[in-house]
Amino acid sequence: MSDTIAPIDFSLSRRHSAEAGVGDFIALLKPRVMSLVVFTALVGMVAAPTDLNPVIGIAALICIAVGAGASGALNMWYDADIDAKMQRTMGRPVPMGRIKPGEALGFGLFLSAFSVLTLGLLVNWMAAALLALTISFYVVIYTMWLKRTTPQNIVIGGAAGAFPPMVGWAAATGTVGLESILLFLIIFLWTPPHFWALALYRSRDYESAGIPMLPVVAGGGETRRQILLYSLVLVPVAVLPVMMGFAGLLYGFVSVTAGAMFLFLAVCVFRSREGRKADLAARKLFRYSIFYLFIIFATLLVEHGVGPMWPLSGVTG
Amino acid sequence: MMNIEMEPVQVDEKKRRQRSVAIAWAIVALIVLFFIVTLVQLGANVFNRPL
Protein backbone atom coordinates (compact mmCIF):
# COMPACT_ATOMS: atom_id res chain seq x y z
CA MET A 1 0.00 0.00 0.00
CA SER A 2 1.31 3.44 -0.79
CA ASP A 3 2.14 5.61 2.19
CA THR A 4 1.53 8.86 0.31
CA ILE A 5 -1.80 10.62 0.33
CA ALA A 6 -3.31 10.48 -3.14
CA PRO A 7 -4.69 13.72 -4.61
CA ILE A 8 -8.42 13.79 -4.70
CA ASP A 9 -10.28 14.13 -8.00
CA PHE A 10 -13.49 16.01 -7.36
CA SER A 11 -14.74 15.61 -10.91
CA LEU A 12 -18.37 14.69 -11.26
CA SER A 13 -19.47 11.37 -12.57
CA ARG A 14 -21.69 11.81 -15.62
CA ARG A 15 -22.11 8.13 -16.31
CA HIS A 16 -25.57 7.66 -14.88
CA SER A 17 -26.96 11.18 -14.93
CA ALA A 18 -30.46 11.27 -16.41
CA GLU A 19 -30.80 15.05 -16.46
CA ALA A 20 -29.79 17.23 -19.40
CA GLY A 21 -27.43 20.09 -18.61
CA VAL A 22 -27.57 23.67 -19.87
CA GLY A 23 -24.86 22.75 -22.41
CA ASP A 24 -27.09 20.07 -23.93
CA PHE A 25 -29.86 22.58 -24.56
CA ILE A 26 -27.34 25.01 -26.06
CA ALA A 27 -26.08 22.21 -28.36
CA LEU A 28 -29.70 21.68 -29.42
CA LEU A 29 -29.68 25.22 -30.85
CA LYS A 30 -26.80 24.41 -33.26
CA PRO A 31 -24.66 27.39 -32.17
CA ARG A 32 -22.37 27.30 -35.22
CA VAL A 33 -25.29 27.48 -37.66
CA MET A 34 -26.81 30.14 -35.45
CA SER A 35 -23.67 32.29 -35.68
CA LEU A 36 -23.73 32.14 -39.50
CA VAL A 37 -27.42 33.07 -39.53
CA VAL A 38 -26.82 36.04 -37.20
CA PHE A 39 -23.89 37.18 -39.33
CA THR A 40 -25.80 37.10 -42.64
CA ALA A 41 -28.85 38.74 -41.02
CA LEU A 42 -26.58 41.48 -39.67
CA VAL A 43 -25.25 42.09 -43.18
CA GLY A 44 -28.82 42.36 -44.53
CA MET A 45 -29.66 44.78 -41.74
CA VAL A 46 -26.58 46.99 -42.17
CA ALA A 47 -26.82 46.99 -45.98
CA ALA A 48 -30.42 48.22 -45.86
CA PRO A 49 -30.82 51.91 -46.79
CA THR A 50 -32.17 53.03 -43.41
CA ASP A 51 -30.70 54.00 -40.07
CA LEU A 52 -31.99 51.35 -37.72
CA ASN A 53 -31.68 52.17 -34.04
CA PRO A 54 -28.87 49.94 -32.68
CA VAL A 55 -31.03 48.76 -29.76
CA ILE A 56 -33.81 47.67 -32.12
CA GLY A 57 -31.15 46.07 -34.36
CA ILE A 58 -29.73 44.06 -31.45
CA ALA A 59 -33.24 43.01 -30.40
CA ALA A 60 -33.91 41.86 -33.97
CA LEU A 61 -30.65 39.88 -34.09
CA ILE A 62 -31.45 38.18 -30.77
CA CYS A 63 -34.87 37.14 -32.12
CA ILE A 64 -33.33 35.89 -35.39
CA ALA A 65 -30.69 33.93 -33.43
CA VAL A 66 -33.34 32.35 -31.20
CA GLY A 67 -35.47 31.53 -34.24
CA ALA A 68 -32.49 29.85 -35.92
CA GLY A 69 -31.81 27.91 -32.71
CA ALA A 70 -35.45 26.85 -32.56
CA SER A 71 -35.19 25.46 -36.10
CA GLY A 72 -32.09 23.52 -35.03
CA ALA A 73 -33.89 22.06 -32.01
CA LEU A 74 -36.89 20.99 -34.11
CA ASN A 75 -34.53 19.50 -36.72
CA MET A 76 -32.75 17.48 -34.03
CA TRP A 77 -36.09 16.31 -32.63
CA TYR A 78 -37.29 15.04 -36.01
CA ASP A 79 -33.97 13.67 -37.24
CA ALA A 80 -32.93 11.86 -34.03
CA ASP A 81 -33.25 8.46 -35.74
CA ILE A 82 -30.93 9.29 -38.65
CA ASP A 83 -28.61 11.39 -36.47
CA ALA A 84 -27.94 8.26 -34.40
CA LYS A 85 -26.68 6.46 -37.54
CA MET A 86 -24.23 9.11 -38.73
CA GLN A 87 -20.79 9.61 -37.24
CA ARG A 88 -21.01 13.38 -37.62
CA THR A 89 -24.28 13.66 -35.68
CA MET A 90 -24.43 10.67 -33.32
CA GLY A 91 -23.06 12.74 -30.41
CA ARG A 92 -26.02 15.13 -30.47
CA PRO A 93 -28.09 15.34 -27.25
CA VAL A 94 -31.23 13.56 -28.52
CA PRO A 95 -29.60 10.46 -30.09
CA MET A 96 -27.30 10.27 -27.04
CA GLY A 97 -30.39 10.16 -24.80
CA ARG A 98 -29.43 13.24 -22.79
CA ILE A 99 -32.53 15.09 -23.99
CA LYS A 100 -35.83 13.32 -24.62
CA PRO A 101 -37.40 13.89 -28.08
CA GLY A 102 -40.46 15.44 -26.44
CA GLU A 103 -38.27 17.93 -24.58
CA ALA A 104 -36.50 18.93 -27.81
CA LEU A 105 -39.88 19.35 -29.54
CA GLY A 106 -41.31 21.48 -26.74
CA PHE A 107 -38.14 23.56 -26.51
CA GLY A 108 -38.11 24.15 -30.29
CA LEU A 109 -41.81 25.03 -30.53
CA PHE A 110 -41.63 27.39 -27.57
CA LEU A 111 -38.57 29.20 -28.94
CA SER A 112 -40.11 29.42 -32.43
CA ALA A 113 -43.26 31.08 -31.14
CA PHE A 114 -41.28 33.27 -28.77
CA SER A 115 -38.81 34.50 -31.42
CA VAL A 116 -41.48 35.27 -34.03
CA LEU A 117 -43.84 37.06 -31.62
CA THR A 118 -41.03 39.03 -29.98
CA LEU A 119 -39.63 40.10 -33.37
CA GLY A 120 -43.11 41.23 -34.40
CA LEU A 121 -43.76 43.13 -31.19
CA LEU A 122 -40.35 44.77 -30.85
CA VAL A 123 -39.33 45.32 -34.49
CA ASN A 124 -41.96 44.80 -37.21
CA TRP A 125 -44.34 42.12 -38.45
CA MET A 126 -42.83 41.79 -41.95
CA ALA A 127 -39.56 40.60 -40.40
CA ALA A 128 -41.54 38.36 -38.01
CA ALA A 129 -43.46 36.81 -40.91
CA LEU A 130 -40.21 36.13 -42.80
CA LEU A 131 -38.69 34.55 -39.68
CA ALA A 132 -41.77 32.33 -39.29
CA LEU A 133 -41.43 31.37 -42.97
CA THR A 134 -37.72 30.56 -42.45
CA ILE A 135 -38.42 28.31 -39.45
CA SER A 136 -41.35 26.57 -41.19
CA PHE A 137 -39.38 26.10 -44.40
CA TYR A 138 -36.42 24.55 -42.59
CA VAL A 139 -38.45 22.28 -40.34
CA VAL A 140 -41.40 21.26 -42.52
CA ILE A 141 -40.20 21.59 -46.13
CA TYR A 142 -36.54 20.61 -45.65
CA THR A 143 -36.35 18.40 -42.54
CA MET A 144 -39.69 16.60 -42.68
CA TRP A 145 -40.18 16.38 -46.43
CA LEU A 146 -37.24 16.94 -48.79
CA LYS A 147 -34.31 15.63 -46.74
CA ARG A 148 -35.43 12.00 -46.83
CA THR A 149 -37.11 11.96 -50.23
CA THR A 150 -35.03 13.70 -52.90
CA PRO A 151 -31.39 14.34 -53.83
CA GLN A 152 -32.48 17.94 -54.49
CA ASN A 153 -33.08 18.28 -50.72
CA ILE A 154 -30.39 20.83 -50.07
CA VAL A 155 -31.07 22.75 -53.29
CA ILE A 156 -34.67 23.62 -52.36
CA GLY A 157 -34.08 23.34 -48.61
CA GLY A 158 -31.16 25.73 -48.99
CA ALA A 159 -33.72 28.53 -49.21
CA ALA A 160 -34.16 28.26 -45.44
CA GLY A 161 -30.52 29.16 -44.90
CA ALA A 162 -30.76 31.96 -47.47
CA PHE A 163 -33.64 33.82 -45.80
CA PRO A 164 -31.74 35.44 -42.85
CA PRO A 165 -30.35 38.45 -44.83
CA MET A 166 -33.91 39.11 -46.02
CA VAL A 167 -35.14 38.95 -42.42
CA GLY A 168 -32.39 41.39 -41.41
CA TRP A 169 -33.26 43.70 -44.31
CA ALA A 170 -36.97 43.52 -43.43
CA ALA A 171 -36.16 44.28 -39.77
CA ALA A 172 -34.48 47.51 -40.91
CA THR A 173 -36.89 48.59 -43.65
CA GLY A 174 -40.16 46.74 -43.07
CA THR A 175 -40.05 45.62 -46.71
CA VAL A 176 -38.35 43.09 -49.00
CA GLY A 177 -36.07 44.89 -51.45
CA LEU A 178 -34.50 43.65 -54.67
CA GLU A 179 -31.10 43.90 -52.97
CA SER A 180 -32.17 41.55 -50.18
CA ILE A 181 -33.45 39.08 -52.79
CA LEU A 182 -29.97 39.20 -54.36
CA LEU A 183 -28.38 38.37 -50.99
CA PHE A 184 -30.86 35.51 -50.71
CA LEU A 185 -29.87 34.30 -54.17
CA ILE A 186 -26.14 34.31 -53.34
CA ILE A 187 -26.63 32.04 -50.30
CA PHE A 188 -29.18 29.93 -52.19
CA LEU A 189 -26.68 29.22 -55.00
CA TRP A 190 -23.81 28.77 -52.53
CA THR A 191 -25.59 26.04 -50.55
CA PRO A 192 -25.47 23.16 -53.11
CA PRO A 193 -21.69 23.24 -53.80
CA HIS A 194 -21.07 23.71 -50.07
CA PHE A 195 -23.15 20.74 -48.92
CA TRP A 196 -22.35 18.47 -51.86
CA ALA A 197 -18.64 18.94 -51.17
CA LEU A 198 -19.33 17.71 -47.62
CA ALA A 199 -21.56 14.91 -48.92
CA LEU A 200 -18.79 13.71 -51.27
CA TYR A 201 -16.48 12.77 -48.42
CA ARG A 202 -19.28 11.83 -46.01
CA SER A 203 -21.32 9.81 -48.52
CA ARG A 204 -21.00 6.56 -46.53
CA ASP A 205 -22.50 8.31 -43.52
CA TYR A 206 -25.46 9.52 -45.55
CA GLU A 207 -25.84 6.13 -47.24
CA SER A 208 -25.97 4.26 -43.92
CA ALA A 209 -28.59 6.72 -42.65
CA GLY A 210 -30.64 6.29 -45.84
CA ILE A 211 -30.50 9.97 -46.79
CA PRO A 212 -30.71 10.38 -50.59
CA MET A 213 -27.88 12.89 -50.94
CA LEU A 214 -26.72 13.43 -54.52
CA PRO A 215 -23.47 11.38 -54.22
CA VAL A 216 -25.48 8.46 -52.80
CA VAL A 217 -28.21 8.55 -55.46
CA ALA A 218 -26.46 9.85 -58.59
CA GLY A 219 -22.83 9.05 -57.78
CA GLY A 220 -19.68 11.12 -57.31
CA GLY A 221 -19.28 12.03 -61.00
CA GLU A 222 -22.69 13.67 -61.31
CA THR A 223 -22.21 15.43 -57.94
CA ARG A 224 -18.90 16.87 -59.11
CA ARG A 225 -20.54 18.09 -62.33
CA GLN A 226 -23.37 19.74 -60.39
CA ILE A 227 -20.90 21.37 -57.97
CA LEU A 228 -19.06 22.89 -60.93
CA LEU A 229 -22.28 24.07 -62.60
CA TYR A 230 -23.61 25.73 -59.45
CA SER A 231 -20.20 27.34 -58.83
CA LEU A 232 -20.21 28.72 -62.38
CA VAL A 233 -23.58 30.38 -61.69
CA LEU A 234 -22.77 31.45 -58.11
CA VAL A 235 -19.59 33.41 -58.81
CA PRO A 236 -21.10 35.83 -61.42
CA VAL A 237 -24.26 36.27 -59.32
CA ALA A 238 -22.09 37.18 -56.33
CA VAL A 239 -20.62 40.04 -58.42
CA LEU A 240 -24.08 41.43 -59.30
CA PRO A 241 -24.34 43.70 -56.20
CA VAL A 242 -21.59 45.85 -57.76
CA MET A 243 -23.46 46.11 -61.08
CA MET A 244 -26.62 47.11 -59.22
CA GLY A 245 -24.78 49.84 -57.31
CA PHE A 246 -25.56 48.04 -54.08
CA ALA A 247 -21.88 47.26 -53.39
CA GLY A 248 -18.64 49.07 -54.17
CA LEU A 249 -15.39 48.30 -55.93
CA LEU A 250 -13.83 46.74 -52.82
CA TYR A 251 -16.64 44.20 -52.78
CA GLY A 252 -16.19 43.72 -56.53
CA PHE A 253 -12.50 42.97 -56.11
CA VAL A 254 -13.05 40.58 -53.19
CA SER A 255 -15.97 38.88 -54.91
CA VAL A 256 -14.06 38.33 -58.17
CA THR A 257 -10.82 37.09 -56.57
CA ALA A 258 -12.54 34.92 -53.96
CA GLY A 259 -14.89 33.66 -56.66
CA ALA A 260 -11.97 32.74 -58.92
CA MET A 261 -10.51 30.65 -56.10
CA PHE A 262 -13.92 29.04 -55.53
CA LEU A 263 -14.08 28.09 -59.20
CA PHE A 264 -10.52 26.75 -59.12
CA LEU A 265 -11.36 24.48 -56.17
CA ALA A 266 -14.61 23.38 -57.84
CA VAL A 267 -12.58 22.43 -60.95
CA CYS A 268 -10.16 20.49 -58.70
CA VAL A 269 -13.12 18.60 -57.24
CA PHE A 270 -14.43 17.94 -60.76
CA ARG A 271 -11.09 16.58 -61.97
CA SER A 272 -10.12 14.53 -58.90
CA ARG A 273 -12.42 11.54 -59.16
CA GLU A 274 -10.98 8.84 -56.90
CA GLY A 275 -8.89 8.11 -53.85
CA ARG A 276 -7.43 10.33 -51.20
CA LYS A 277 -6.85 13.18 -53.66
CA ALA A 278 -10.56 13.37 -54.47
CA ASP A 279 -11.43 13.31 -50.78
CA LEU A 280 -8.93 16.09 -50.09
CA ALA A 281 -10.26 18.25 -52.93
CA ALA A 282 -13.82 17.97 -51.59
CA ARG A 283 -12.69 18.83 -48.06
CA LYS A 284 -10.78 21.86 -49.38
CA LEU A 285 -13.81 23.14 -51.28
CA PHE A 286 -16.09 22.59 -48.28
CA ARG A 287 -13.80 24.56 -45.95
CA TYR A 288 -13.14 27.27 -48.51
CA SER A 289 -16.86 27.69 -49.28
CA ILE A 290 -17.43 28.78 -45.66
CA PHE A 291 -14.59 31.29 -45.94
CA TYR A 292 -15.91 32.51 -49.31
CA LEU A 293 -19.38 33.30 -47.99
CA PHE A 294 -17.87 34.91 -44.91
CA ILE A 295 -15.46 37.14 -46.83
CA ILE A 296 -17.96 38.47 -49.38
CA PHE A 297 -20.59 39.18 -46.71
CA ALA A 298 -17.94 40.69 -44.41
CA THR A 299 -16.88 43.01 -47.25
CA LEU A 300 -20.48 44.13 -47.74
CA LEU A 301 -20.67 44.73 -44.01
CA VAL A 302 -17.51 46.84 -44.09
CA GLU A 303 -18.66 48.87 -47.11
CA HIS A 304 -22.10 49.61 -45.67
CA GLY A 305 -21.22 49.71 -41.98
CA VAL A 306 -17.85 51.43 -41.93
CA GLY A 307 -17.51 52.79 -45.46
CA PRO A 308 -16.49 54.37 -47.69
CA MET A 309 -18.10 52.62 -50.66
CA TRP A 310 -16.73 53.43 -54.10
CA PRO A 311 -19.48 52.58 -56.61
CA LEU A 312 -18.76 51.24 -60.08
CA SER A 313 -20.56 54.22 -61.66
CA GLY A 314 -18.02 56.55 -60.01
CA VAL A 315 -15.27 54.88 -62.04
CA THR A 316 -17.05 54.37 -65.31
CA GLY A 317 -18.58 57.83 -65.19
CA MET B 1 -5.43 8.95 -7.58
CA MET B 2 -8.34 8.66 -5.18
CA ASN B 3 -11.57 9.33 -7.00
CA ILE B 4 -14.48 10.79 -5.06
CA GLU B 5 -17.41 10.78 -7.41
CA MET B 6 -20.75 12.44 -6.86
CA GLU B 7 -23.78 10.20 -6.79
CA PRO B 8 -25.91 10.40 -9.95
CA VAL B 9 -28.73 11.93 -7.90
CA GLN B 10 -26.42 14.75 -6.80
CA VAL B 11 -25.33 15.30 -10.41
CA ASP B 12 -28.97 15.45 -11.51
CA GLU B 13 -29.76 18.00 -8.82
CA LYS B 14 -26.78 20.13 -9.83
CA LYS B 15 -27.83 20.07 -13.49
CA ARG B 16 -31.42 20.91 -12.58
CA ARG B 17 -30.22 23.85 -10.48
CA GLN B 18 -28.02 25.09 -13.34
CA ARG B 19 -30.99 24.89 -15.72
CA SER B 20 -33.16 26.85 -13.30
CA VAL B 21 -30.48 29.53 -13.01
CA ALA B 22 -30.18 29.70 -16.82
CA ILE B 23 -33.97 30.12 -17.18
CA ALA B 24 -33.94 32.84 -14.50
CA TRP B 25 -31.20 34.74 -16.35
CA ALA B 26 -33.07 34.37 -19.64
CA ILE B 27 -36.21 35.88 -18.06
CA VAL B 28 -34.21 38.76 -16.56
CA ALA B 29 -32.57 39.41 -19.95
CA LEU B 30 -35.98 39.38 -21.62
CA ILE B 31 -37.41 41.89 -19.15
CA VAL B 32 -34.41 44.18 -19.66
CA LEU B 33 -34.70 43.84 -23.46
CA PHE B 34 -38.42 44.72 -23.50
CA PHE B 35 -37.83 47.64 -21.11
CA ILE B 36 -34.98 49.15 -23.14
CA VAL B 37 -36.75 48.66 -26.50
CA THR B 38 -39.88 50.31 -25.07
CA LEU B 39 -37.77 53.29 -23.93
CA VAL B 40 -36.17 53.54 -27.38
CA GLN B 41 -39.51 53.37 -29.18
CA LEU B 42 -41.09 55.96 -26.91
CA GLY B 43 -38.09 58.23 -27.39
CA ALA B 44 -38.55 61.70 -25.95
CA ASN B 45 -42.21 60.89 -25.24
CA VAL B 46 -41.06 58.81 -22.27
CA PHE B 47 -41.18 62.04 -20.21
CA ASN B 48 -44.52 63.10 -21.65
CA ARG B 49 -46.93 62.00 -18.93
CA PRO B 50 -49.33 63.73 -16.57
CA LEU B 51 -47.78 64.62 -13.20
Side-chain angles (χ1 to χ4, degrees):
Chain A
M1 183 190 270
S2 169
D3 55 357
T4 56
I5 299 169
I8 299 170
D9 179 9
F10 285 100
S11 65
L12 305 180
S13 167
R14 291 168 185 265
R15 280 175 300 176
H16 305 295
S17 172
E19 291 285 334
V22 175
D24 292 320
F25 280 93
I26 291 173
L28 212 54
L29 302 175
K30 296 191 179 180
R32 278 193 297 179
V33 176
M34 204 192 230
S35 61
L36 194 65
V37 166
V38 169
F39 175 64
T40 54
L42 173 69
V43 174
M45 201 178 279
V46 173
T50 50
D51 288 327
L52 184 67
N53 186 296
V55 173
I56 306 287
I58 290 168
L61 286 178
I62 291 171
C63 293
I64 293 167
V66 173
S71 311
L74 291 170
N75 170 274
M76 284 200 206
W77 157 70
Y78 193 81
D79 277 351
D81 57 335
I82 52 177
D83 280 351
K85 292 175 188 165
M86 296 200 292
Q87 206 177 7
R88 187 173 67 89
T89 52
M90 59 174 52
R92 286 176 175 176
V94 183
M96 287 292 281
R98 293 196 299 269
I99 292 180
K100 294 188 189 96
E103 287 176 326
L105 173 65
F107 188 57
L109 287 177
F110 169 75
L111 290 185
S112 299
F114 166 80
S115 59
V116 171
L117 291 175
T118 308
L119 189 61
L121 287 169
L122 298 186
V123 185
N124 66 61
W125 289 102
M126 172 59 87
L130 279 172
L131 183 63
L133 176 70
T134 307
I135 297 169
S136 317
F137 202 95
Y138 184 68
V139 176
V140 180
I141 307 288
Y142 172 68
T143 305
M144 293 181 176
W145 178 30
L146 299 170
K147 187 172 179 180
R148 297 171 192 236
T149 54
T150 167
Q152 295 297 312
N153 47 16
I154 50 108
V155 177
I156 308 162
F163 277 126
M166 284 179 83
V167 182
W169 182 282
T173 62
T175 59
V176 176
L178 190 64
E179 297 91 337
S180 74
I181 294 173
L182 187 56
L183 294 179
F184 167 91
L185 201 60
I186 290 171
I187 303 180
F188 184 74
L189 291 169
W190 166 89
T191 307
H194 168 74
F195 275 109
W196 284 334
L198 171 77
L200 273 176
Y201 66 88
R202 292 275 188 189
S203 61
R204 281 186 192 165
D205 241 14
Y206 285 111
E207 199 174 352
S208 63
I211 303 172
M213 288 298 277
L214 198 61
V216 177
V217 177
E222 177 60 18
T223 307
R224 287 179 172 86
R225 198 176 72 88
Q226 293 283 336
I227 285 176
L228 187 59
L229 288 176
Y230 272 93
S231 304
L232 284 167
V233 180
L234 165 69
V235 172
V237 168
V239 183
L240 279 181
V242 186
M243 311 297 171
M244 288 171 63
F246 167 56
L249 287 176
L250 176 66
Y251 174 86
F253 174 75
V254 171
S255 179
V256 168
T257 49
M261 186 66 187
F262 196 109
L263 278 177
F264 171 73
L265 291 175
V267 170
C268 288
V269 169
F270 183 72
R271 293 177 65 176
S272 311
R273 297 291 169 121
E274 280 174 13
R276 201 170 166 274
K277 204 178 164 191
D279 204 51
L280 202 66
R283 281 175 193 270
K284 269 187 184 171
L285 179 63
F286 175 72
R287 283 198 210 111
Y288 180 77
S289 65
I290 298 169
F291 171 75
Y292 171 78
L293 192 69
F294 169 76
I295 197 72
I296 61 170
F297 270 70
T299 311
L300 265 183
L301 190 65
V302 168
E303 280 192 340
H304 286 271
V306 186
M309 187 176 93
W310 297 286
L312 188 64
S313 57
V315 175
T316 57
Chain B
M1 183 188 281
M2 200 165 82
N3 196 3
I4 297 179
E5 291 181 339
M6 259 189 206
E7 289 296 314
V9 175
Q10 287 175 290
V11 177
D12 284 352
E13 278 175 12
K14 187 178 165 65
K15 284 184 175 178
R16 217 172 293 144
R17 198 166 53 244
Q18 284 173 340
R19 266 165 34 195
S20 301
V21 170
I23 292 169
W25 277 114
I27 292 170
V28 169
L30 193 63
I31 291 167
V32 172
L33 181 73
F34 268 79
F35 180 71
I36 294 175
V37 171
T38 305
L39 283 185
V40 167
Q41 286 179 339
L42 284 174
N45 291 326
V46 76
F47 299 110
N48 187 11
R49 62 193 174 103
L51 294 172

